[in-house]
Amino acid sequence: PSTDFTFPSAVAAYGLILRDSEYKGRATLEDVLALARRAIGEDTQGYRKDFVRLVEDTRRLHGTEGRGR
């Protein structure tokens, strides 16, 4: 899939995880990071890199580093 599809998928999964939505399936913050990092692409204004940092911070705050959730 293109970065223009993959990155928004990461953002959507992140929102579902934050809301603890029943629709998140088995998605984890690790999954979101993997998708987002893979789809950074050109990112001329740095928004995608900012999103990656936001997810990393969320993972640290939730104490889920290395545990997948």
Side-chain angles (χ1 to χ4, degrees):
S2 74
T3 58
D4 290 335
F5 176 77
T6 303
F7 191 81
S9 297
V11 174
Y14 179 67
L16 293 172
I17 290 168
L18 288 182
R19 294 177 52 102
D20 195 25
S21 171
E22 64 183 287
Y23 301 109
K24 74 178 183 226
R26 299 164 110 190
T28 66
L29 292 173
E30 294 297 326
D31 297 333
V32 171
L33 279 172
L35 283 172
R37 286 177 177 149
R38 189 169 58 229
I40 285 179
E42 238 176 82
D43 194 28
T44 56
Q45 296 185 2
Y47 295 129
R48 292 181 181 201
K49 289 177 188 159
D50 285 346
F51 176 75
V52 168
R53 283 191 290 273
L54 178 67
V55 177
E56 289 170 341
D57 289 346
T58 302
R59 189 177 57 159
R60 277 191 289 280
L61 288 170
H62 284 256
T64 57
E65 285 184 290
R67 287 192 280 153
R69 292 186 69 182

